[in-house]
Amino acid sequence: MKEEVRSSRAASRKRKRLLRLATAVLLIASLIGVIAFAAYIDSQKQTALPESDNISTKEVDSGTEAEPEEEATEEEPSENVVYIATPYTKVYADDRVTVLYEADLGDRFERLEAVSGFVKLQLNERTTGWVTEARVTEEATSVSDDEVKQAWQTVVPTASASALDWLGQDVATVRSTLGAPASVQRDQVNEYHFYNGFFLMVRDQRVKAIDWDRQTAVTPELEASSAQSAGSWYDGETLQLKLFPYNGVMRVRIEQK
């Protein structure tokens, strides 16, 4: 009887060991299956989303037409411009109180808007300012550029005609020819590069005008757009001539519009 009990217990322990072994094998097989399936999915993702630019290019070339890029169009220069009608015109900041610049007679700016007796001007690429409407005009008696050049040579006979080639050029290009200036001054709108006998007025990194100081006071035989005791200006097609008399002499400016 005891022998039968021992045999029964031994068989029961053997069945339990086999069951545990079978369970372990099943778990291992399931784990291997999960890992293999995850690797397969990951490989499919890598194939569907290539990171290589070469692969992307081939896909576009082989069947997909890229949308044509819109052609860049050059903006037409604004004709909504005004001239400063009086010398020493104060240009104000947005508060219409703080003076940020003093404009010369004949200065030409784009008008952005008019509000309550003030006109907003684009002074350079970064800066805007306000002047009173009474200080600007849209009218300017126009003469030819040749007449402006001839008048300029009359009032500054010592200047070389090649100086006009500097107008509109990048200031770095001009400085590579002239060398470094003796000094440079700045305000909110322009830089002023001083050389022996003249200075360059630079705006947005380009030579906007050239000034010669202490010239003999002479009046050109040319119709001025405006002639006042403090100054006069002559408006050409692309050039302006400005004369600013003081103490028996005058400062002369040739400027690109």
Side-chain angles (χ1 to χ4, degrees), residues 153-192:
Q153 289 176 325
T154 299
V155 297
V156 193
T158 59
S160 170
S162 62
L164 297 182
D165 296 335
W166 304 336
L167 294 173
Q169 285 198 41
D170 183 85
V171 66
T173 301
V174 176
R175 285 183 57 160
S176 68
T177 300
L178 297 178
S183 64
V184 176
Q185 297 179 12
R186 298 176 176 84
D187 57 31
Q188 294 285 359
V189 180
N190 305 308
E191 291 181 354
Y192 306 91

Short mmCIF file of all heavy atoms in Angstrom, two decimals, residues 153-192:
data_model
loop_
_atom_site.label_atom_id
_atom_site.label_comp_id
_atom_site.label_asym_id
_atom_site.label_seq_id
_atom_site.Cartn_x
_atom_site.Cartn_y
_atom_site.Cartn_z
N GLN A 153 29.23 121.45 -62.56
CA GLN A 153 30.60 121.74 -62.95
C GLN A 153 30.90 123.24 -62.91
O GLN A 153 32.04 123.65 -62.68
CB GLN A 153 30.87 121.18 -64.35
CG GLN A 153 30.93 119.66 -64.35
CD GLN A 153 31.10 119.07 -65.75
OE1 GLN A 153 30.56 119.61 -66.73
NE2 GLN A 153 31.83 117.97 -65.84
N THR A 154 29.85 124.05 -63.08
CA THR A 154 30.03 125.50 -62.99
C THR A 154 30.31 125.94 -61.55
O THR A 154 31.17 126.79 -61.31
CB THR A 154 28.77 126.23 -63.51
OG1 THR A 154 28.57 125.89 -64.88
CG2 THR A 154 28.90 127.73 -63.36
N VAL A 155 29.59 125.35 -60.60
CA VAL A 155 29.73 125.79 -59.20
C VAL A 155 30.85 125.06 -58.47
O VAL A 155 31.33 125.54 -57.43
CB VAL A 155 28.39 125.62 -58.44
CG1 VAL A 155 27.32 126.51 -59.04
CG2 VAL A 155 27.93 124.17 -58.43
N VAL A 156 31.29 123.89 -58.98
CA VAL A 156 32.44 123.17 -58.39
C VAL A 156 33.41 122.85 -59.54
O VAL A 156 33.55 121.70 -59.95
CB VAL A 156 32.02 121.88 -57.67
CG1 VAL A 156 33.17 121.36 -56.80
CG2 VAL A 156 30.80 122.10 -56.79
N PRO A 157 34.10 123.84 -60.07
CA PRO A 157 34.94 123.62 -61.25
C PRO A 157 36.13 122.71 -61.00
O PRO A 157 36.69 122.13 -61.94
CB PRO A 157 35.39 125.04 -61.63
CG PRO A 157 35.28 125.83 -60.37
CD PRO A 157 34.11 125.25 -59.63
N THR A 158 36.52 122.55 -59.73
CA THR A 158 37.69 121.72 -59.43
C THR A 158 37.35 120.24 -59.30
O THR A 158 38.25 119.40 -59.23
CB THR A 158 38.34 122.18 -58.12
OG1 THR A 158 37.38 122.10 -57.06
CG2 THR A 158 38.84 123.61 -58.24
N ALA A 159 36.06 119.89 -59.26
CA ALA A 159 35.65 118.49 -59.09
C ALA A 159 35.83 117.72 -60.39
O ALA A 159 35.58 118.24 -61.48
CB ALA A 159 34.21 118.42 -58.62
N SER A 160 36.25 116.47 -60.26
CA SER A 160 36.39 115.62 -61.43
C SER A 160 35.03 115.06 -61.83
O SER A 160 34.22 114.66 -60.98
CB SER A 160 37.34 114.46 -61.11
OG SER A 160 37.32 113.49 -62.15
N ALA A 161 34.78 115.02 -63.13
CA ALA A 161 33.50 114.48 -63.62
C ALA A 161 33.33 113.02 -63.23
O ALA A 161 32.21 112.53 -63.12
CB ALA A 161 33.42 114.64 -65.14
N SER A 162 34.44 112.31 -63.00
CA SER A 162 34.35 110.89 -62.62
C SER A 162 33.73 110.71 -61.24
O SER A 162 33.31 109.59 -60.88
CB SER A 162 35.74 110.25 -62.65
OG SER A 162 36.60 110.87 -61.71
N ALA A 163 33.65 111.79 -60.45
CA ALA A 163 33.03 111.68 -59.12
C ALA A 163 31.58 111.25 -59.22
O ALA A 163 31.04 110.59 -58.32
CB ALA A 163 33.14 113.01 -58.38
N LEU A 164 30.92 111.60 -60.31
CA LEU A 164 29.52 111.21 -60.48
C LEU A 164 29.35 109.69 -60.56
O LEU A 164 28.27 109.17 -60.29
CB LEU A 164 28.94 111.86 -61.74
CG LEU A 164 28.88 113.40 -61.75
CD1 LEU A 164 28.24 113.89 -63.04
CD2 LEU A 164 28.11 113.92 -60.55
N ASP A 165 30.42 109.00 -60.94
CA ASP A 165 30.35 107.53 -61.03
C ASP A 165 30.19 106.90 -59.65
O ASP A 165 29.78 105.75 -59.54
CB ASP A 165 31.61 106.97 -61.70
CG ASP A 165 31.75 107.43 -63.15
OD1 ASP A 165 30.72 107.75 -63.75
OD2 ASP A 165 32.89 107.44 -63.66
N TRP A 166 30.53 107.63 -58.59
CA TRP A 166 30.39 107.07 -57.24
C TRP A 166 28.93 107.00 -56.81
O TRP A 166 28.58 106.17 -55.96
CB TRP A 166 31.15 107.93 -56.24
CG TRP A 166 32.61 108.10 -56.55
CD1 TRP A 166 33.40 107.28 -57.31
CD2 TRP A 166 33.45 109.18 -56.12
NE1 TRP A 166 34.68 107.77 -57.39
CE2 TRP A 166 34.75 108.94 -56.66
CE3 TRP A 166 33.25 110.32 -55.35
CZ2 TRP A 166 35.81 109.80 -56.44
CZ3 TRP A 166 34.31 111.18 -55.11
CH2 TRP A 166 35.57 110.93 -55.66
N LEU A 167 28.10 107.85 -57.35
CA LEU A 167 26.70 107.90 -56.92
C LEU A 167 26.00 106.57 -57.20
O LEU A 167 26.07 106.03 -58.31
CB LEU A 167 25.96 109.03 -57.63
CG LEU A 167 26.42 110.45 -57.30
CD1 LEU A 167 25.72 111.46 -58.18
CD2 LEU A 167 26.20 110.77 -55.82
N GLY A 168 25.34 106.04 -56.18
CA GLY A 168 24.61 104.78 -56.32
C GLY A 168 25.45 103.55 -56.08
O GLY A 168 24.91 102.44 -55.98
N GLN A 169 26.77 103.71 -55.99
CA GLN A 169 27.63 102.56 -55.78
C GLN A 169 27.65 102.14 -54.31
O GLN A 169 27.42 102.95 -53.41
CB GLN A 169 29.06 102.85 -56.22
CG GLN A 169 29.25 102.88 -57.73
CD GLN A 169 30.72 102.73 -58.10
OE1 GLN A 169 31.46 101.94 -57.51
NE2 GLN A 169 31.15 103.50 -59.09
N ASP A 170 27.96 100.87 -54.09
CA ASP A 170 28.17 100.38 -52.73
C ASP A 170 29.35 101.13 -52.11
O ASP A 170 30.39 101.31 -52.75
CB ASP A 170 28.44 98.87 -52.76
CG ASP A 170 28.59 98.30 -51.38
OD1 ASP A 170 27.57 97.96 -50.76
OD2 ASP A 170 29.75 98.19 -50.92
N VAL A 171 29.20 101.56 -50.87
CA VAL A 171 30.23 102.39 -50.26
C VAL A 171 31.55 101.64 -50.13
O VAL A 171 32.63 102.24 -50.23
CB VAL A 171 29.76 102.94 -48.89
CG1 VAL A 171 29.58 101.80 -47.88
CG2 VAL A 171 30.73 103.99 -48.36
N ALA A 172 31.49 100.32 -49.95
CA ALA A 172 32.73 99.55 -49.85
C ALA A 172 33.50 99.60 -51.16
O ALA A 172 34.74 99.67 -51.16
CB ALA A 172 32.42 98.11 -49.47
N THR A 173 32.79 99.59 -52.28
CA THR A 173 33.44 99.68 -53.58
C THR A 173 34.12 101.03 -53.76
O THR A 173 35.25 101.13 -54.23
CB THR A 173 32.41 99.47 -54.71
OG1 THR A 173 31.80 98.19 -54.55
CG2 THR A 173 33.06 99.54 -56.07
N VAL A 174 33.43 102.10 -53.36
CA VAL A 174 33.99 103.44 -53.49
C VAL A 174 35.20 103.59 -52.57
O VAL A 174 36.23 104.16 -52.95
CB VAL A 174 32.93 104.50 -53.19
CG1 VAL A 174 33.53 105.91 -53.23
CG2 VAL A 174 31.78 104.39 -54.19
N ARG A 175 35.09 103.06 -51.37
CA ARG A 175 36.22 103.17 -50.43
C ARG A 175 37.43 102.37 -50.90
O ARG A 175 38.56 102.73 -50.58
CB ARG A 175 35.78 102.72 -49.04
CG ARG A 175 34.91 103.73 -48.33
CD ARG A 175 34.53 103.32 -46.93
NE ARG A 175 35.69 103.05 -46.09
CZ ARG A 175 35.66 103.04 -44.76
NH1 ARG A 175 34.53 103.31 -44.13
NH2 ARG A 175 36.74 102.79 -44.07
N SER A 176 37.21 101.32 -51.66
CA SER A 176 38.35 100.58 -52.20
C SER A 176 39.13 101.43 -53.19
O SER A 176 40.32 101.19 -53.43
CB SER A 176 37.87 99.28 -52.87
OG SER A 176 37.13 99.57 -54.05
N THR A 177 38.48 102.43 -53.78
CA THR A 177 39.14 103.36 -54.70
C THR A 177 39.72 104.55 -53.96
O THR A 177 40.87 104.94 -54.19
CB THR A 177 38.14 103.86 -55.77
OG1 THR A 177 37.64 102.73 -56.51
CG2 THR A 177 38.81 104.83 -56.73
N LEU A 178 38.93 105.14 -53.06
CA LEU A 178 39.35 106.36 -52.37
C LEU A 178 40.21 106.11 -51.14
O LEU A 178 40.93 106.99 -50.68
CB LEU A 178 38.11 107.16 -51.93
CG LEU A 178 37.19 107.67 -53.04
CD1 LEU A 178 35.99 108.39 -52.43
CD2 LEU A 178 37.95 108.61 -53.96
N GLY A 179 40.13 104.91 -50.59
CA GLY A 179 40.79 104.63 -49.33
C GLY A 179 39.88 104.96 -48.16
O GLY A 179 38.75 105.42 -48.33
N ALA A 180 40.38 104.75 -46.97
CA ALA A 180 39.58 105.00 -45.77
C ALA A 180 39.38 106.50 -45.58
O ALA A 180 40.28 107.30 -45.84
CB ALA A 180 40.26 104.41 -44.54
N PRO A 181 38.18 106.92 -45.15
CA PRO A 181 37.94 108.35 -44.91
C PRO A 181 38.68 108.84 -43.68
O PRO A 181 39.08 108.05 -42.81
CB PRO A 181 36.42 108.40 -44.71
CG PRO A 181 36.06 107.05 -44.21
CD PRO A 181 37.00 106.09 -44.87
N ALA A 182 38.84 110.15 -43.61
CA ALA A 182 39.48 110.73 -42.43
C ALA A 182 38.62 110.55 -41.19
O ALA A 182 39.13 110.37 -40.08
CB ALA A 182 39.76 112.22 -42.67
N SER A 183 37.29 110.58 -41.38
CA SER A 183 36.37 110.36 -40.27
C SER A 183 35.01 109.97 -40.82
O SER A 183 34.72 110.18 -42.01
CB SER A 183 36.24 111.61 -39.38
OG SER A 183 35.68 112.68 -40.12
N VAL A 184 34.19 109.40 -39.96
CA VAL A 184 32.83 109.00 -40.33
C VAL A 184 31.88 109.48 -39.23
O VAL A 184 32.15 109.27 -38.04
CB VAL A 184 32.69 107.47 -40.49
CG1 VAL A 184 31.24 107.09 -40.77
CG2 VAL A 184 33.60 106.96 -41.59
N GLN A 185 30.82 110.15 -39.63
CA GLN A 185 29.78 110.57 -38.69
C GLN A 185 28.46 109.93 -39.11
O GLN A 185 28.27 109.60 -40.28
CB GLN A 185 29.65 112.10 -38.67
CG GLN A 185 30.89 112.81 -38.17
CD GLN A 185 30.74 114.32 -38.20
OE1 GLN A 185 29.64 114.84 -38.38
NE2 GLN A 185 31.84 115.04 -38.01
N ARG A 186 27.56 109.79 -38.15
CA ARG A 186 26.28 109.12 -38.42
C ARG A 186 25.14 109.87 -37.76
O ARG A 186 25.31 110.48 -36.70
CB ARG A 186 26.30 107.67 -37.89
CG ARG A 186 27.33 106.77 -38.55
CD ARG A 186 27.33 105.39 -37.90
NE ARG A 186 28.25 104.48 -38.56
CZ ARG A 186 29.55 104.41 -38.32
NH1 ARG A 186 30.08 105.22 -37.39
NH2 ARG A 186 30.32 103.57 -38.97
N ASP A 187 23.98 109.79 -38.40
CA ASP A 187 22.74 110.20 -37.74
C ASP A 187 21.73 109.08 -37.94
O ASP A 187 22.10 107.96 -38.31
CB ASP A 187 22.24 111.56 -38.24
CG ASP A 187 22.03 111.59 -39.76
OD1 ASP A 187 21.69 110.53 -40.34
OD2 ASP A 187 22.19 112.66 -40.37
N GLN A 188 20.46 109.35 -37.70
CA GLN A 188 19.45 108.29 -37.78
C GLN A 188 19.20 107.80 -39.21
O GLN A 188 18.61 106.75 -39.40
CB GLN A 188 18.13 108.79 -37.18
CG GLN A 188 18.18 109.07 -35.69
CD GLN A 188 18.18 107.79 -34.87
OE1 GLN A 188 18.11 106.69 -35.39
NE2 GLN A 188 18.26 107.94 -33.56
N VAL A 189 19.63 108.57 -40.20
CA VAL A 189 19.29 108.25 -41.60
C VAL A 189 20.52 107.95 -42.45
O VAL A 189 20.51 107.04 -43.27
CB VAL A 189 18.48 109.40 -42.24
CG1 VAL A 189 18.12 109.09 -43.68
CG2 VAL A 189 17.21 109.66 -41.43
N ASN A 190 21.61 108.71 -42.26
CA ASN A 190 22.77 108.62 -43.15
C ASN A 190 24.07 108.42 -42.38
O ASN A 190 24.15 108.65 -41.17
CB ASN A 190 22.91 109.91 -43.98
CG ASN A 190 21.65 110.24 -44.74
OD1 ASN A 190 21.10 109.43 -45.46
ND2 ASN A 190 21.17 111.48 -44.57
N GLU A 191 25.10 108.04 -43.15
CA GLU A 191 26.48 108.12 -42.70
C GLU A 191 27.18 109.18 -43.55
O GLU A 191 26.81 109.40 -44.71
CB GLU A 191 27.21 106.79 -42.87
CG GLU A 191 26.75 105.69 -41.97
CD GLU A 191 27.55 104.41 -42.18
OE1 GLU A 191 28.38 104.37 -43.11
OE2 GLU A 191 27.32 103.45 -41.42
N TYR A 192 28.22 109.83 -43.00
CA TYR A 192 28.95 110.87 -43.70
C TYR A 192 30.44 110.51 -43.64
O TYR A 192 31.03 110.52 -42.56
CB TYR A 192 28.67 112.24 -43.07
CG TYR A 192 27.18 112.54 -42.99
CD1 TYR A 192 26.45 112.19 -41.85
CD2 TYR A 192 26.51 113.13 -44.05
CE1 TYR A 192 25.08 112.43 -41.78
CE2 TYR A 192 25.15 113.39 -43.98
CZ TYR A 192 24.44 113.04 -42.85
OH TYR A 192 23.08 113.27 -42.77
#
